[in-house]
């Protein structure tokens, strides 16, 4: 909204408005519109009362990220989960192509957007199957889902990758679940919790939820209630840390 001081009533107007300026309220001075491109544009604003008309310049500066974000797309498939790390938005799902103001590019089920520029980064783990969830822990991004390869290297439904390049870590390759994980969280101490439609992990009984240490080894932690083990018959989809406990649904 623009304002002017003086004897009322005052009416407002725009001289030679840009095509993206969609409206101006002559009584309140409220103007609206969405600039499509980055840059600076000067708009001539008028205020009129019984004494005449005064003109002032409204300078509109649009950052590149604001302009570029209007062209950000996931062009096929769906997004299952996302996380934000600083100014980076990491997404995973079933998609294989994304786009921004520079054009379309291949991103197989995992991609990272720089929210300061509105452009997709070079982060490209290249999953061989659906990625259901991800979490940032330590100096890695961890991925889980129904995949057998990341970056062309065998990884059975879980992998960790470099947060900048997306390169897989071949030394981290937990395996042996009889199903696949749907979600993953980190507890801040190096441990990871995964949940999904499995009943065993690395040859040990785990009823839909398991804990892995920082090396990817299965720990002795197991879901229980007073010594009575829970038996999950359906797939667990979500994990959350809350207070001193872990919640899953």
């Amino acid at each position: 909204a623009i304002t002017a001081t003086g004897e009322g009533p005052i009416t407002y107007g725009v001289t030679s408005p840009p095509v993206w300026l969609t409206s101006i309220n002559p009584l309140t001075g409220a103007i609206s519109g969405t600039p499509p491109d980055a840059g600076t544009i000067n708009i001539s604003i008028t205020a009129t009362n019984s004494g005449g008309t005064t003109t002032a310049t409204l300078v509109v500066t649009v950052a590149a990220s604001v302009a570029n974000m209007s062209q950000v797309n996931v062009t096929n498939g769906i997004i299952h989960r996302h996380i934000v790390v600083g100014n980076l938005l990491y997404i995973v799902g079933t998609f294989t192509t994304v786009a921004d103001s520079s054009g379309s590019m291949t991103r197989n089920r995992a991609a990272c957007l720089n929210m300061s520029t509105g452009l997709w980064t070079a982060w490209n783990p290249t999953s061989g199957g659906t990625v259901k969830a991800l979490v940032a822990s330590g100096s890695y991004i961890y991925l889980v889902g129904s995949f057998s390869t990341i970056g062309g290297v065998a990884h059975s439904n879980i992998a960790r990758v470099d947060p900048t390049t997306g390169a897989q870590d071949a030394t981290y390759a937990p395996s042996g679940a009889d199903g696949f994980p749907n979600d993953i969280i980190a507890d801040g101490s190096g441990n990871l919790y995964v949940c999904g439609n499995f009943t065993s992990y690395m040859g040990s009984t785990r009823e839909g939820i398991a804990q892995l240490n920082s090396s990817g080894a299965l720990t002795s932690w197991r879901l229980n209630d007073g010594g009575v083990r829970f038996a999950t018959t359906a797939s667990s989809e979500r994990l959350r840390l809350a207070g001193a406990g872990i919640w899953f649904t």
Side-chain angles (χ1 to χ4, degrees):
I2 56 176
T3 60
T5 58
E7 183 179 345
I10 300 174
T11 58
Y12 301 94
V14 178
T15 302
S16 301
V19 294
W20 53 261
L21 198 155
T22 55
S23 68
I24 179 168
N25 187 312
L27 300 179
T28 66
I31 62 176
S32 62
T34 303
D37 301 307
T40 299
I41 185 171
N42 296 332
I43 303 174
S44 181
I45 303 292
T46 62
T48 302
N49 67 2
S50 59
T53 297
T54 298
T55 300
T57 300
L58 173 66
V59 180
V60 177
T61 300
V62 182
S65 60
V66 176
N68 288 342
M69 287 297 282
S70 66
Q71 301 181 60
V72 171
N73 282 289
V74 173
T75 54
N76 64 356
I78 62 173
I79 299 171
H80 279 306
R81 302 285 166 78
H82 75 278
I83 59 172
V84 175
V85 181
N87 68 330
L88 300 176
L89 171 69
Y90 294 87
I91 62 170
V92 295
T94 66
F95 55 86
T96 58
T97 307
V98 298
D100 57 27
S101 61
S102 68
S104 297
M105 60 207 76
T106 299
R107 291 291 185 272
N108 286 312
R109 305 167 188 93
C112 176
L113 180 72
N114 185 320
M115 295 186 291
S116 296
T117 64
L119 299 174
W120 296 103
T121 72
W123 191 75
N124 189 17
T126 309
S127 173
T130 298
V131 182
K132 295 283 288 184
L134 73 167
V135 69
S137 180
S139 56
Y140 294 99
I141 302 292
Y142 292 80
L143 311 174
V144 296
S146 55
F147 53 81
S148 58
T149 61
I150 294 290
V153 177
H155 285 278
S156 181
N157 304 321
I158 184 169
R160 69 183 183 190
V161 300
D162 185 278
T164 301
T165 65
Q168 58 81 32
D169 179 5
T171 67
Y172 184 88
S175 62
D178 62 351
F180 59 84
N182 289 318
D183 202 3
I184 182 171
I185 59 174
D187 66 5
S189 300
N191 295 316
L192 299 174
Y193 295 84
V194 296
C195 73
N197 63 348
F198 52 82
T199 57
S200 70
Y201 216 107
M202 300 182 192
S204 298
T205 300
R206 291 294 185 272
E207 299 89 344
I209 184 170
Q211 183 193 65
L212 306 177
N213 65 20
S214 59
S215 299
L218 185 70
T219 73
S220 60
W221 184 91
R222 184 179 171 191
L223 189 67
N224 70 86
D225 181 13
V228 179
R229 305 293 180 181
F230 286 106
T232 59
T233 57
S235 173
S236 297
E237 290 285 345
R238 300 301 299 268
L239 285 170
R240 288 290 182 268
L241 286 173
I246 298 171
W247 297 74
F248 69 101
T249 57

